[in-house]
Amino acid sequence: REEQAQAGAAMLSLARLAPARAVTRSTLCVKSRRGVTGVSIADARGGTRPAICFPTGPVGPRARSPIAPNRAVGPEAVTAAVATVDAFGVSAEQWELIEGNLFGASLLPYLVFLYYLGMPESKMPPRALFGFKFLLVFVFGTIPCAIYAKLVYNDILANVDWLHGPAESLLTITNLLIVIGLREGLRDLKGSDGGKRSKVSSVSGALLGWSVAATTATLSAVAAGAGGGVGNVAEAAESAASIAPAVGDMAVSFFRHAEPANALSLPTWVIHVSSLIEWLVAMGLIWEYADATGNQKYKGLTWGMVPCHASGIAACTFHLFYNSPALNSVVATQAGLTVLGNTTVAIAAYRIAIEGGAKNTLPWEEGFVAPWKKNDPIGATTDAKVDEAGAEDFAANIEEDATTKESGLAGWEDLGKVWAGDSDLVLILKLALVSTVVSAAVKWGSLEVDFPFEPSVWLAFTLIFGPTALNMIKWQQISAEESAAR
């Protein structure tokens, strides 16, 4: 009895080391972080056993748990709770509040960005402009998915892969539309369309068709699951997800670590990686577009897109550490970078429009024209007044600038120039292939190292801001070389 009393006292002291403010709102469960009532978790031996769960919110009579514990919490569970203590001493609820406010605040500067970029004086290629506008579909399309994941799974969207992947695919569609539109604008300025306009239209139509299908299917699944419709989507998805632990245990025979149940699937990883690569390609094309149009302020847009890309890296870093609650600060950093990036691109778009001759009129000033009332035909090119001789001069300038735009650092943004001769369909296929290879290396290569299973805030920040610093150094070198050439 004395030994039992000592063990009980030790457990009590350990429990006191895990304050409620240091644990996420999600239910902590052995073998799974999804807290769905009535869900059993696959055992490594092939059977099932009830999930061992305990509430991670504030302790008290009002605290609730989606799955009530059916036996005493073991020392391992208490240790896991202690391990989720935030490095900054901020609770998950506070981080969630910060993230929500920042993501909400990022919408206004992005709308300002679209307003100035859509001015005729900015001369942004119509399809690229549509791509930037399509980002709003991604923003508002993820909201119902996140709400559904929270209500049904009591978890974040990133841990519900069947919802996460289709929602994020809208961002990939956005970036591809931007890349294709910029390529078309450059071909128009060079006067060498080469009969590719119909191909561009068909590729754009295919992308839009996929986006509509993905959005409709995802939202329909959410609605059907929420309403308990035919097939009960939630149960079907959870049944499929129950296979993940068994697959993870099988991976131990090939890798050093088993893959957690909330790991991203390969298609979802491909969507994330391709979005990062496509954004870099778009940055390179916009830099080239600045030289083609003579509006050097477009290079400021490339610089303004750097924080947006860092925000995407932050999201992938969070997924690399299997969405650990100890890295909630990384998600808040992602939200902050989104606000910063949307603000910098808005400033860049304003400078582009002013450089192009736009009048800076505010909504309450005389001469202001609402964006939806402007007469800007969808088939308009970047500059309809450029004659054949002028187009040849543009092409000569592009080739001359391309020879000077060589720096000591090679990056993904160079793919737009390297694959400039490919059709848009071939470009998309190449990007998909590269993204798949990189994603597979990240998904399964991370099982061979320890750091993804030992979340570190400082290592996560290094993975975010290290590549971002290299990206900035690359553009700084290009700017310095171009200035010296002049």
Side-chain angles (χ1 to χ4, degrees):
R1 291 181 179 178
E2 291 181 358
E3 292 179 355
Q4 292 178 352
Q6 291 176 358
M11 284 293 297
L12 182 60
S13 62
L14 279 174
R16 287 173 178 170
L17 291 176
R21 66 189 295 271
V23 189
T24 66
R25 199 181 286 176
S26 304
T27 301
L28 293 177
C29 305
V30 178
K31 298 289 285 182
S32 176
R33 293 180 61 236
R34 296 190 176 98
V36 183
T37 304
V39 175
S40 297
I41 299 174
D43 192 299
R45 295 182 293 274
T48 60
R49 53 186 173 82
I52 306 173
C53 305
F54 55 94
T56 60
V59 179
R62 295 185 179 181
R64 297 180 179 179
S65 174
I67 307 178
N70 56 4
R71 60 178 177 176
V73 178
E76 299 84 2
V78 176
T79 304
V82 175
T84 61
V85 175
D86 185 81
F88 300 99
V90 180
S91 69
E93 289 79 6
Q94 290 173 320
W95 280 127
E96 191 171 308
L97 181 62
I98 294 172
E99 297 158 12
N101 290 336
L102 287 174
F103 279 124
S106 67
L107 181 60
L108 179 59
Y110 194 78
L111 293 176
V112 174
F113 161 72
L114 292 179
Y115 170 72
Y116 284 109
L117 196 67
M119 286 185 170
E121 295 83 359
S122 296
K123 301 176 183 177
M124 169 60 70
R127 285 188 177 85
L129 177 61
F130 177 80
F132 282 113
K133 292 179 179 179
F134 192 79
L135 182 66
L136 297 177
V137 177
F138 160 72
V139 172
F140 291 106
T142 54
I143 293 176
C145 296
I147 294 175
Y148 182 82
K150 194 68 174 177
L151 293 178
V152 176
Y153 294 92
N154 191 30
D155 212 337
I156 58 176
L157 178 61
N159 285 333
V160 186
D161 192 81
W162 72 275
L163 279 174
H164 186 205
E168 291 291 332
S169 69
L170 298 175
L171 181 59
T172 300
I173 300 298
T174 295
N175 295 346
L176 285 175
L177 289 171
I178 295 171
V179 169
I180 291 174
L182 289 169
R183 282 163 56 90
E184 180 185 5
L186 287 170
R187 284 196 294 263
D188 287 341
L189 288 174
K190 293 178 182 180
S192 56
D193 183 87
K196 297 181 179 180
R197 181 176 297 274
S198 59
K199 295 181 180 179
V200 172
S201 300
S202 61
V203 172
S204 300
L207 291 175
L208 289 176
W210 161 253
S211 67
V212 171
T215 304
T216 303
T218 302
L219 296 181
S220 298
V222 170
V230 179
N232 201 328
V233 179
E235 291 184 3
E238 203 48 47
S239 175
S242 65
I243 304 175
V247 175
D249 292 332
M250 291 176 57
V252 176
S253 58
F254 300 98
F255 304 103
R256 291 180 57 188
H257 297 279
E259 190 173 57
N262 68 329
L264 269 63
S265 63
L266 181 60
T268 304
W269 263 121
V270 172
I271 289 170
H272 282 76
V273 172
S274 64
S275 296
L276 291 178
I277 297 176
E278 291 152 10
W279 192 255
L280 287 173
V281 172
M283 292 170 65
L285 291 174
I286 288 175
W287 193 280
E288 186 178 354
Y289 191 71
D291 294 325
T293 60
N295 190 339
Q296 296 298 310
K297 301 301 181 183
Y298 262 106
K299 294 181 179 180
L301 179 55
T302 296
W303 279 103
M305 295 168 68
V306 171
C308 298
H309 186 260
S311 175
I313 297 178
C316 291
T317 301
F318 184 63
H319 300 326
L320 179 64
F321 287 95
Y322 301 104
N323 311 325
S324 171
L327 298 182
N328 284 331
S329 57
V330 172
V331 183
T333 301
Q334 176 195 359
L337 289 169
T338 301
V339 175
L340 176 61
N342 289 356
T343 302
T344 52
V345 296
I347 295 173
Y350 168 79
R351 299 174 71 234
I352 291 170
I354 297 301
E355 180 71 13
K359 294 182 180 179
N360 184 23
T361 56
L362 299 176
W364 55 84
E365 295 179 344
E366 184 179 358
F368 175 80
V369 179
W372 56 87
K373 292 184 179 180
K374 292 182 179 179
N375 183 18
D376 187 14
I378 190 63
T381 61
T382 55
D383 191 356
K385 296 182 180 180
V386 176
D387 55 15
E388 296 181 359
E392 295 176 359
D393 293 337
F394 273 122
N397 291 336
I398 293 173
E399 294 176 359
E400 181 180 355
D401 290 327
T403 59
T404 60
K405 200 181 85 170
E406 298 291 342
S407 66
L409 294 175
W412 297 104
E413 62 275 2
D414 297 324
L415 292 180
K417 181 177 61 177
V418 174
W419 294 339
D422 295 329
S423 66
D424 296 305
L425 180 59
V426 172
L427 174 70
I428 292 175
L429 293 176
K430 287 184 176 180
L431 289 174
L433 177 61
V434 172
S435 300
T436 301
V437 172
V438 175
S439 299
V442 172
K443 177 177 173 62
W444 289 300
S446 60
L447 300 179
E448 281 295 312
V449 292
D450 295 328
F451 74 86
F453 302 89
E454 302 170 355
S456 167
V457 171
W458 309 114
L459 177 58
F461 285 162
T462 301
L463 294 176
I464 296 169
F465 294 106
T468 301
L470 292 176
N471 194 14
M472 296 175 67
I473 291 172
K474 168 72 179 287
W475 294 115
Q476 179 59 38
Q477 287 183 353
I478 294 175
S479 298
E481 291 171 1
E482 290 183 353
S483 298
R486 293 191 185 97

